[in-house]
Amino acid sequence: MASRTGVETMIPLSSMGRLVRGGERLSYGHYAVDASQWQALWHMSAVALPMLSFWADELRAYGLFLEGDQPLLVSTAIDDKRYVGPSQRYPVAEWGERVAFDLYGVEAMDVPGDGRSALDGGAWDITWPLAQRPGPGGSHGGALKASKAPFWVDGNGVSGVFGLVPDGQQGGICAEQCEAGLGHRGVIAQLLGRTPDEAMGLVSRMSAGGYVAYPLALARAFMQAEGRSIEPAIRDGWMVLLEIERISVHLHDVMLTACAMDAGVLAAHCTHAREALARVCVDHGATRRLTDMIRKEGYRRGVEIVPLAQAVLREMKPRLSKLALLVDVYAPRLAGLAVLPVDLARGLAIGGPLGRSSGRSLDLRRAENGMRLDALRATGASEGDARARQAVRMTEMFDSLRLLERILSSFGLGDADEAYPAIPQAIHQEGLGAAEAARGDVWVWVRLKEGRIDAVHMRDPAVPVVAALGRIMMDMDVTMMPLALRSLGLSTAGVAQ
């Protein structure tokens, strides 16, 4: 990942990893394979690597995997607007396949999906907006036709992006559909052609719950693409901002869950604590929700990182202690609700509190240079229900306070990260960055050409969760769906980008 040094970590190679590395190395961790190798990836009998994301443009299709705790990117050339789709093996890839068709008109072959739209609802009948040679759009077979009107759940932060069709006879849901629709903001189109500094300003205000994590992942991707290192003081400042955001987002998600289960006292305490945190940020030169704080090579001028961290500790320690008692009081109401099975969490590479409460303990912060590992204690459980997710959020907030204390005790100490080595004969500058956001791991891939963004992809942690919704909601009482959705902490702002 982008916070490591330029030396690749030695890890046991999987069968898929060996096949990918048999291709041409294009950049750090990125390999190009031919059509036969690409197709072989989806038919190997060996245990599959977790797929983090899939995307495509007019020229190439990309698959991002995780091997151990290290990313592995593979791509192949697209021939006559067609490629073999990975969703035949990885269900999480379907969203990327649908988006690629809507934007570029490139079509995934041999896939189980119905080819419905992701972004346009079948309305783009004139052009594919990002294609070099726009052709007739809207030829993907039209929008999904459900036998019953979808049940759009109000007030959960995801209305208008996905719908659940309830089964009136059997209970639970009989269909689940996801379309960005009016939520689509065209962020990728806005980033193309911009300078890195221009892109940072846009991404810093892009995603709910990721105003630090998203630009931080992008900044790390730029570091790799440009072969730069980062000073320990900047690295520690980034860590401080990310942990403050983690506390704020967890408070918000605990509050939403509390509101949905009629726990007004708990919701009020969360709201007051989050507001106090926002005031502390403003008092020390930051913005209320830490928007527009991360810069390509540092953070916003005027912010006082060390006093900010000290003030957060003073303000939040007593509040979180009281909050934890209330969470325990209401926890029984969440037991057994909206279970995310262990196999699904691992198979879809779901991270954050959802993954860590369902047996997938990966936390990208553990792989970062300079991380104070003794402060990270939350490893979650395997129950996978709403109660376990709430417990993980509380534990992680206490871990964040502990991490802030460790950073303050050694702020700016240690060696600078080494610059990433250049890839011989590489035409473009490429970089891959990641950040462990409050709701899961954010990944950003970027390619630069003549100092401007030539291609970019951003993977939001909500994407694999959307792929799991059908199974999570199966056989659930319709009246419990709003509470279940809020317990997931699902914000599709990143999905609709």
Side-chain angles (χ1 to χ4, degrees), residues 68 143 188 206 336 424:
I188 300 300
M206 187 192 74

Side-chain angles (χ1 to χ4, degrees), residues 146-152 164-166 177:
S147 58
K148 300 180 181 179
F151 172 67
W152 299 104
L164 305 173
V165 183
Q177 62 187 53

Side-chain angles (χ1 to χ4, degrees), residues 20 85 98 106 126 194 204 212 219 319 340 347 358 459:
V20 169
R98 291 165 59 191
V106 295
I126 298 176
R194 291 183 181 264
S204 291
V212 172
R319 290 181 179 272
L340 173 64
S358 298
R459 183 265 198 185

Side-chain angles (χ1 to χ4, degrees), residues 410-424:
S410 57
F411 189 87
L413 300 181
D415 297 328
D417 287 0
E418 297 178 16
Y420 283 89
I423 303 299

Side-chain angles (χ1 to χ4, degrees), residues 185-338:
R185 291 167 291 171
V187 173
I188 300 300
Q190 295 179 54
L191 289 175
L192 295 176
R194 291 183 181 264
T195 66
D197 287 327
E198 291 170 344
M200 291 298 300
L202 177 62
V203 173
S204 291
R205 298 172 180 233
M206 187 192 74
S207 180
Y211 298 124
V212 172
Y214 255 95
L216 178 54
L218 180 60
R220 288 170 170 171
F222 285 140
M223 284 173 54
Q224 188 179 113
E226 297 171 347
R228 292 185 288 106
S229 61
I230 196 71
E231 293 300 319
I234 298 299
R235 177 199 65 207
D236 288 351
W238 282 348
M239 287 183 184
V240 166
L241 293 172
L242 188 62
E243 294 311 306
I244 296 174
E245 177 180 77
R246 190 180 317 281
I247 296 172
S248 177
V249 175
H250 282 341
L251 286 171
H252 179 67
D253 289 341
V254 173
M255 180 272 295
L256 286 180
T257 304
C259 288
M261 62 176 172
D262 199 24
V265 175
L266 174 57
H269 275 267
C270 290
T271 301
H272 293 160
R274 194 166 185 244
E275 180 61 25
L277 185 62
R279 289 197 303 269
V280 168
C281 290
V282 172
D283 290 344
H284 291 82
T287 52
R288 285 175 54 84
R289 302 300 181 209
L290 301 182
T291 55
D292 201 29
M293 295 300 302
I294 304 296
R295 299 290 189 265
K296 186 167 73 81
E297 299 179 13
Y299 41 82
R300 179 179 175 176
R301 290 183 180 180
V303 63
E304 305 172 44
I305 289 291
V306 171
L308 170 60
Q310 292 171 335
V312 167
L313 287 169
R314 288 193 301 269
E315 186 68 40
M316 298 309 298
K317 272 189 173 183
R319 290 181 179 272
L320 289 185
S321 296
K322 296 177 182 178
L323 190 62
L325 297 176
L326 286 172
V327 168
D328 289 341
V329 169
Y330 291 102
R333 299 188 187 183
L334 300 173
L337 177 67

